[in-house]
Amino acid sequence: MRFKNIKKKIWKCIIISFLVCIILWLIGGSLYKVIFHQKIENKIYLLKRELQTISALEEYKQNEIQVVNTRAIISKTLVMFFQTNELPSTTFSSVQHRLEDDGWAILKTSERVYEFTAQKEPYILTVSMDRSKPEYTWAVFIEYDDFFSKYNL
């Protein structure tokens, strides 16, 4: 008899805990949608505008800018691809020097894989050759240099 009562109480606690978690998840998701959605859309707009105004990329044939699909809730990363007929080493050094002339600070460089990271407050820009696409296709990623982007939140 005593074992059945304990078993019923444990199951009751588990079910109540599960229902409370679901209710909190629904409330949290709704509040997030209402409060942060406009801020995130504004961040995406500003990132897109910054990526479109980088003069070092104007001479190349650019594809449309897309939001990178990640599990991050608040931080967003945008990507834009561009094609060139130049050799990768020429494009790599040309884009890198033109970004430096525009005030971007080069943080990391890897000439072996043709990738570099540049920073200009409050943005981080990564330019790399995309080996999964046809020849001479480059990917440009831009994100904010903030806590949420650093820790993919």
Side-chain angles (χ1 to χ4, degrees):
M1 181 75 173
R2 195 164 186 222
F3 178 71
K4 284 187 176 184
N5 284 340
I6 292 174
K7 190 176 177 182
K8 281 183 182 181
K9 287 183 180 183
I10 289 175
W11 273 110
K12 190 176 181 179
C13 286
I14 290 172
I15 291 171
I16 289 173
S17 299
F18 182 73
L19 291 174
V20 166
C21 287
I22 288 176
I23 290 170
L24 286 175
W25 179 69
L26 289 172
I27 291 171
S30 299
L31 286 175
Y32 163 77
K33 183 86 170 161
V34 169
I35 295 172
F36 290 109
H37 183 71
Q38 186 61 37
K39 284 184 179 182
I40 292 170
E41 289 298 319
N42 190 34
K43 278 186 162 190
I44 290 172
Y45 171 75
L46 293 173
L47 283 171
K48 191 178 285 191
R49 193 177 74 192
E50 180 65 26
L51 193 54
Q52 290 170 339
T53 59
I54 296 174
S55 63
L57 304 174
E58 287 177 352
E59 71 179 65
Y60 302 107
K61 180 185 171 206
Q62 303 172 5
N63 293 350
E64 121 180 16
I65 298 171
Q66 305 164 358
V67 177
V68 176
N69 289 331
T70 62
R71 290 189 289 166
I73 296 173
I74 297 173
S75 73
K76 296 297 175 193
T77 302
L78 300 183
V79 64
M80 177 192 65
F81 295 99
F82 69 89
Q83 287 84 25
T84 179
N85 294 327
E86 300 172 342
L87 290 172
S89 57
T90 307
T91 305
F92 181 78
S93 60
S94 171
V95 171
Q96 189 174 0
H97 291 303
R98 293 178 83 199
L99 283 172
E100 284 178 324
D101 292 343
D102 286 347
W104 291 82
I106 305 300
L107 301 177
K108 290 187 270 183
T109 302
S110 176
E111 290 186 28
R112 218 178 78 209
V113 292
Y114 298 117
E115 178 176 310
F116 67 88
T117 303
Q119 178 183 21
K120 183 178 183 181
E121 288 297 328
Y123 306 107
I124 296 261
L125 188 77
T126 303
V127 179
S128 63
M129 187 168 178
D130 189 354
R131 304 206 186 273
S132 67
K133 302 242 182 211
E135 261 186 79
Y136 307 130
T137 299
W138 293 78
V140 181
F141 297 90
I142 189 167
E143 63 186 359
Y144 280 98
D145 183 23
D146 60 1
F147 174 81
F148 298 109
S149 295
K150 285 180 185 173
Y151 298 106
N152 200 26
L153 300 174

